[in-house]
Amino acid sequence: MAGPSKSLILDPAFQKYYELNANRYKYFRWTPRHAWLSILYMGIIPGVLTYVAYKTEGKFELRGKRKGDTVSEW
């Protein structure tokens, strides 16, 4: 019923892919493209988001109308 089967045949292409994925760090090489993407995703994008967050902090009132609030506030 359940459990490992003795007649299970593993696909050699999947085995090669799994082996490559497990040892990916051995095949990684820094290239200009890898360096640029790393700088972009670890530096520029978080920096821009932080800058925008600090510049817009407190400028918008995002609280919705609640019971008891007058319509003239909106």
Side-chain angles (χ1 to χ4, degrees):
M1 296 292 162
S5 173
K6 295 189 187 281
S7 64
L8 180 66
I9 298 173
L10 299 174
D11 187 1
F14 279 134
Q15 289 300 107
K16 184 178 177 183
Y17 173 74
Y18 294 146
E19 185 68 26
L20 177 70
N21 200 21
N23 297 316
R24 187 175 300 271
Y25 68 95
K26 294 178 184 175
Y27 302 104
F28 180 79
R29 188 177 303 255
W30 280 105
T31 63
R33 181 173 185 263
H34 287 145
W36 169 245
L37 287 174
S38 297
I39 291 170
L40 179 70
Y41 288 124
M42 290 188 291
I44 295 173
I45 291 176
V48 167
L49 290 175
T50 303
Y51 176 77
V52 169
Y54 276 113
K55 284 296 182 181
T56 59
E57 184 179 9
K59 288 190 175 183
F60 302 103
E61 181 62 45
L62 299 177
R63 184 180 71 87
K65 183 182 178 310
R66 296 186 181 172
K67 184 177 178 181
D69 289 346
T70 62
V71 177
S72 63
E73 293 177 10
W74 309 100

